[in-house]
Amino acid sequence: MGEPSQFLVAVCQIGAEGALKREVAREHPDLRSAFARPGLVTWKSAGVPVGPGFVLRAVFARAYAVALGPARDVAEVLAAVERVGAERLRLHVWERDARRPGEESVQESPRAGEVRGAFLAAFGARFRDGEVAEAGEHVLDVVVAGDEPWFLGHHLHSPLHSPWPGGRIPVAVPENSPSRAYRKIEEAIAWSGAPLRRGEVAVEIGSAPGGASHALLRRGLEVVGIDTGTMAEVVIASPRFRHVQAAVGQVQRDQLPPCADWLLLDVNLAPQVALHAVRGIVAALRPSLRGVLFTLKLNDWGMADQVPDLLRRVEGMGITDVRATQLPSNRQEIFVYGQLAGPTGKGRRGRV
């Protein structure tokens, strides 16, 4: 169901458009770059038209869909809905990024809410309740940008798409959070589906001042934070937190917990250097380690072309099911998730 199209649309972080275009040119040579705006890129298929179930292999695409084109009023939107052909659709409306991550909230803008409300008022019976998409549902994607026409897309939802409008993951950040790393790790957990459980142990490399550690502690985990910097008082005050004040390359085995379930990495080093430094820690914790959550900095956008090699380096540590994305709160960086065949982690409290 749903018409194939010669065009595909994707949204990304402002500044990542070039990296996304090069990535798609490498992974999908039949797609030719077409219309673009800051944070939005379209392609035309030089071969077989793409359908709503098309899978775009792109780390830098936050959300993507078959392009239905622009719409200037509700009547044109209704015509697009009729072309999709599904009896009921999930409605995703969001505003295209206006600034880079960290410069504005990633929450839904008032403008997107107004547009969504207008669509529901006009023909709400065509849409499912709520915004979180489920596998097998047809989704109408609506990208809003100021006074520009709305840009419409359509995708058949699967785990390869974000269930949230525009890939923007809702996170409630507490007022006492030490840093924006709280939002980053919560987005990472939601996107990856990492099954963190209360009582498990996490080792966080690059923990200061403690945003991610704070999030993990609130989830009931025990945390060992490794960083030369100072940790926030709200983190230090927890009896389930221990601070190892050392650089990643200087950590000794006896400074690590006997067992750990999760390893986090977010350091201000070139990605190749960071991955080289963390290899020994992965090896030391391997018998119990269940998974890794790595944030890798990109020194410049040209380094985005090296992402496939970086993922192979992660796999070279014996880590499987390695996946990567650029999260809504990631700046010039990517998030990488992978799993290890470790124990379940039950009944191992008090090891930090």
Side-chain angles (χ1 to χ4, degrees):
M1 187 176 294
E3 298 177 359
S5 171
Q6 291 292 136
F7 290 90
L8 191 80
V9 59
V11 292
C12 64
Q13 176 188 133
I14 287 183
E17 300 88 358
L20 175 58
K21 290 178 183 180
R22 295 193 304 274
E23 184 179 29
V24 170
R26 183 179 65 245
E27 297 291 331
H28 301 277
D30 283 346
L31 295 179
R32 304 284 188 267
S33 181
F35 170 85
R37 287 288 184 271
L40 183 146
V41 182
T42 66
W43 296 265
K44 182 176 181 180
S45 175
V48 178
V50 292
F54 178 81
V55 176
L56 183 68
R57 297 185 297 276
V59 170
F60 294 97
R62 188 184 302 159
Y64 65 93
V66 168
L68 299 176
R72 295 167 181 79
D73 54 42
V74 173
E76 291 183 347
V77 174
L78 180 57
V81 169
E82 296 297 337
R83 285 178 14 228
V84 169
E87 183 176 347
R88 297 190 72 199
L89 296 91
R90 183 73 63 182
L91 177 60
H92 279 184
V93 184
W94 72 94
E95 187 161 0
R96 173 163 55 84
D97 286 9
R99 295 182 176 86
R100 290 173 173 81
E103 298 177 356
E104 67 172 5
S105 170
V106 299
Q107 302 301 313
E108 182 183 53
S109 72
R111 176 62 176 153
E114 293 168 3
V115 173
R116 176 179 172 82
F119 289 3
L120 294 177
F123 42 96
R126 298 299 302 268
F127 297 119
R128 299 177 183 274
D129 295 335
E131 293 185 291
V132 180
E134 298 181 6
E137 294 180 343
H138 288 265
V139 181
L140 180 68
D141 299 285
V142 184
V143 187
V144 177
D147 294 330
E148 295 179 11
W150 310 314
F151 199 92
L152 309 182
H154 165 221
H155 76 266
L156 180 64
H157 191 71
S158 76
L160 300 175
H161 287 270
S162 172
W164 298 282
R168 292 181 172 175
I169 304 168
V171 175
V173 180
E175 292 185 2
N176 64 343
S177 176
S179 70
R180 64 191 301 275
Y182 186 105
R183 181 183 297 279
K184 285 168 60 176
I185 192 59
E186 286 295 332
E187 288 180 350
I189 294 169
W191 178 83
S192 65
L196 281 72
R197 295 194 291 256
R198 180 175 295 274
E200 292 184 327
V201 174
V203 174
E204 184 191 1
I205 302 169
S207 57
S213 291
H214 187 40
L216 297 173
L217 291 168
R218 283 170 57 91
R219 284 175 168 265
L221 279 77
E222 301 180 16
V223 182
V224 176
I226 299 173
D227 202 302
T228 57
T230 302
M231 301 299 298
E233 181 59 33
V234 69
V235 176
I236 290 291
S238 172
R240 290 182 284 106
F241 179 82
R242 177 166 65 87
H243 186 198
V244 176
Q245 200 156 12
V248 57
Q250 300 172 338
V251 177
Q252 304 298 312
R253 180 62 183 93
D254 61 4
Q255 294 176 298
L256 297 171
C259 301
D261 303 281
W262 302 97
L263 178 62
L264 289 75
L265 173 72
D266 190 352
V267 293
N268 192 24
L269 294 172
Q272 296 89 341
V273 175
L275 291 176
H276 177 75
V278 82
R279 286 184 67 92
I281 295 177
V282 171
L285 298 175
R286 180 179 303 281
S288 61
L289 203 59
R290 299 183 61 206
V292 301
L293 300 95
F294 292 167
T295 297
L296 301 180
K297 312 293 184 185
L298 304 177
N299 302 48
D300 56 64
W301 283 115
M303 187 167 284
D305 298 339
Q306 300 179 34
V307 167
D309 176 65
L310 296 175
L311 300 186
R312 284 190 290 269
R313 288 172 183 249
V314 175
E315 292 171 341
M317 300 181 200
I319 298 169
T320 61
D321 189 28
V322 175
R323 295 180 280 134
T325 191
Q326 188 166 54
L327 296 165
S329 290
N330 282 149
R331 288 174 173 162
Q332 196 167 293
E333 58 195 6
I334 61 170
F335 168 69
V336 180
Y337 173 69
Q339 300 179 27
L340 291 91
T344 61
K346 294 182 179 179
R348 298 197 309 247
R349 291 183 59 84
R351 300 168 294 156
V352 300

